[in-house]
Amino acid sequence: MRTFRKRTPRALALTGAVAAAALLLAACGEDDPVKGTGHGGATPSATVSVAGDFNDADVMFAQMMIPHHEQALEMAKLADGRAEDADVKRIVAAVEKAQDPEIQKMKAWLKSWGEPESAGMGHSMAGMMSEQDMKDLAAAKGEDFDRTFAELMIAHHEGAVEMARTEQKDGGNAEAKALAGEVVRAQTAEIAELRKILDRL
């Protein structure tokens, strides 16, 4: 009986400790996704999933593509009240639909990686429009706008495709490389469409 009584408290204590540890682990597991909240939309899951492996190429890709996409959105906004061609308007809508969510996703990656959003590249990036380019686009209307928009967006998309292919080659993060692949696919197709538009304008 003595042996039985001596072991029982120890066994109970061990069981309690195991249970407490399990609860602690479970609580930690529940807390992890919470750390990724605060960015809005689908960002938390993206933040959690990309917090692991990444390299300098992934960081540079996101830091460069964010302002690149932002300028594409600025160009698309200028189409309102200026664009005339139905196909140009369709591409404008596609740019707006795709690129804003991608910007938010890349910002979430950089935050989860502990990296700044800006690399200070500015207009030195491939395909970026100058201030004069943007003024010329804003001053155009109708067919003139459609032609200018197509010409500038082709150059802009070509720059994005170039950066995305570099990420596909040098990047280490699977999610970033997947986004780069989508940029190559979508924007290469839009370049082909824009060239067809130019041919008939």
Side-chain angles (χ1 to χ4, degrees):
M1 291 295 293
R2 288 181 182 176
T3 304
F4 177 76
R5 287 178 178 174
K6 286 181 180 179
R7 287 182 178 179
T8 299
R10 292 178 63 191
L12 288 172
L14 180 59
T15 302
V18 171
L23 287 171
L24 181 60
L25 288 172
C28 289
E30 291 172 359
D31 285 342
D32 285 343
V34 176
K35 293 178 182 177
T37 61
H39 306 291
T43 300
S45 60
T47 303
V48 172
S49 65
V50 300
D53 294 337
F54 67 94
N55 61 20
D56 289 345
D58 299 316
V59 173
M60 184 61 67
F61 170 68
Q63 288 175 333
M64 292 171 64
M65 197 61 78
I66 288 170
H68 207 274
H69 273 17
E70 287 173 341
Q71 189 179 66
L73 291 177
E74 290 176 18
M75 295 169 70
K77 286 178 183 176
L78 290 175
D80 187 25
R82 296 180 175 88
E84 185 175 80
D85 188 86
D87 288 335
V88 167
K89 292 179 180 179
R90 181 172 50 80
I91 289 178
V92 165
V95 166
E96 291 175 332
K97 182 179 179 181
Q99 298 201 20
D100 185 60
E102 289 176 354
I103 288 170
Q104 301 312 313
K105 184 181 290 188
M106 289 184 286
K107 285 182 176 180
W109 292 349
L110 289 169
K111 185 168 185 177
S112 73
W113 295 339
E115 298 287 346
E117 284 185 10
S118 175
M121 299 296 290
H123 291 284
S124 62
M125 288 182 291
M128 288 291 280
M129 300 297 104
S130 67
E131 288 185 22
Q132 188 60 51
D133 289 331
M134 296 299 288
K135 287 179 180 178
D136 291 344
L137 184 60
K141 195 166 185 178
E143 186 175 309
D144 185 31
F145 177 89
D146 296 333
R147 187 181 296 105
T148 304
F149 177 87
E151 290 171 347
L152 295 179
M153 193 59 81
I154 285 171
H156 200 270
H157 275 8
E158 286 175 339
V161 169
E162 179 184 328
M163 289 190 291
R165 284 181 172 152
T166 299
E167 166 63 14
Q168 286 181 306
K169 179 171 63 75
D170 299 334
N173 183 271
E175 207 168 337
K177 292 178 77 170
L179 177 59
E182 179 58 23
V183 168
V184 171
R185 184 200 65 77
Q187 298 199 22
T188 298
E190 288 176 1
I191 288 169
E193 291 182 55
L194 288 162
R195 284 178 174 154
K196 288 180 182 178
I197 292 169
L198 281 178
D199 287 343
R200 61 174 172 74
L201 286 177

